Amino acid sequence: EVQLVESGGGLVKPGGSLRLSCAASGFTFSTYSMNWVRQAPGKGLEWVSSISSTSDYIYYADSMEGRFTISRDNAKNSLYLQMNSLRAEDTAVYYCASETVGGYWGQGTLVTVSS
Amino acid sequence: DIVMTQSPDSLAVSLGERATINCKSSQSVLYGSNNKNYLAWYQQKPGQPPKLLIYWASTRKSGVPDRFSGSGSGTDFTLTISSLQAEDVAVYYCHQHYSFPTFGQGTKVDLK
């Protein structure tokens, strides 16, 4: 059974940092590009960042560039998102997701940025 | 960025009736070298992650009921639910991965 399990969310003050993790199992993680996608409360889906299977290619949405860093460890079947300089508008559920055709999504982890 | 625009924003359909959701991209998502449209459809129910229904614009993911179908090419796409069931009440999103990924704003499907 395919599983993507996010962790690391929580309440953080504006300007603070968090590191999200995503543990993958049930599929060959090392062969898939991976994404982080977020969803603010009551809002739609917003792509955050992508990383290729071997980490050669990394992309960010404009509003995250310079503040967020995506990485992966294929030996540990894990995906990460380091988030710095967090803002109130970064409050959202953050999903770990495989490349689109794979269709694998985690349940998400809630990040709340508030003083 | 490619902007994805869905219509309508919401619709109410009777059980067993057809539901049609449209999605228009601001530029073509058809990749010429493989003739594939980099367009997917997702279903999202409250408190759950999105579930992939359709990819390559018209390929149904394994396990998805055949009442769900996708069509279109280039910039105009449609998701059709041929006979709406109660469990189909959800928000539906189109999604392009031709370039930096973007999503439509979502279409809420309710029972009439």
Side-chain angles (χ1 to χ4, degrees):
Chain A
E1 180 195 5
V2 170
Q3 278 200 312
L4 290 171
V5 180
E6 302 93 339
S7 60
L11 176 63
V12 61
K13 288 182 168 52
S17 298
L18 275 179
R19 188 191 194 214
L20 306 184
S21 299
C22 172
S25 60
F27 67 106
T28 311
F29 177 78
S30 62
T31 65
Y32 281 74
S33 294
M34 296 296 295
N35 302 281
W36 287 100
V37 177
R38 71 184 184 182
Q39 187 169 34
K43 302 298 184 182
L45 300 167
E46 181 183 22
W47 170 73
V48 172
S49 181
S50 298
I51 186 168
S52 63
S53 59
T54 56
S55 304
D56 290 340
Y57 301 99
I58 288 175
Y59 306 102
Y60 299 97
D62 287 346
S63 59
M64 289 66 151
E65 185 85 55
R67 300 190 299 126
F68 291 8
T69 303
I70 191 172
S71 62
R72 66 190 295 163
D73 185 336
N74 286 341
K76 295 182 178 179
N77 287 342
S78 292
L79 177 72
Y80 306 101
L81 185 68
Q82 176 67 43
M83 304 186 296
N84 298 329
S85 303
L86 284 162
R87 307 165 179 164
E89 54 266 34
D90 294 319
T91 294
V93 173
Y94 285 73
Y95 294 104
C96 162
S98 71
E99 59 190 55
T100 298
V101 175
Y104 308 138
W105 288 65
Q107 291 295 314
T109 186
L110 176 63
V111 172
T112 304
V113 184
S114 175
S115 54
Chain B
D1 289 359
I2 297 177
V3 177
M4 309 299 288
T5 304
Q6 292 180 226
S7 61
D9 289 334
S10 64
L11 73 160
V13 178
S14 301
L15 282 174
E17 295 300 305
R18 177 184 299 258
T20 301
I21 301 169
N22 299 302
C23 176
K24 189 173 184 66
S25 58
S26 61
Q27 62 189 77
S28 177
V29 298
L30 175 62
Y31 192 46
S33 66
N34 61 10
N35 204 37
K36 289 184 184 294
N37 287 282
Y38 282 60
L39 189 286
W41 288 97
Y42 291 91
Q43 174 194 67
Q44 188 178 31
K45 298 180 180 179
Q48 296 184 19
K51 173 188 173 184
L52 179 66
L53 299 175
I54 303 283
Y55 58 95
W56 301 141
S58 60
T59 302
R60 197 179 305 113
K61 185 170 171 60
S62 175
V64 173
D66 61 7
R67 62 181 180 273
F68 291 93
S69 64
S71 63
S73 184
T75 61
D76 291 280
F77 302 90
T78 300
L79 175 70
T80 301
I81 310 172
S82 60
S83 176
L84 192 80
Q85 304 300 302
E87 60 266 32
D88 301 335
V89 170
V91 178
Y92 293 83
Y93 294 94
C94 62
H95 162 61
Q96 68 79 21
H97 54 115
Y98 178 89
S99 66
F100 289 159
T102 51
F103 295 86
Q105 80 275 19
T107 295
K108 187 175 183 182
V109 174
D110 275 319
L111 285 175
K112 185 185 291 184

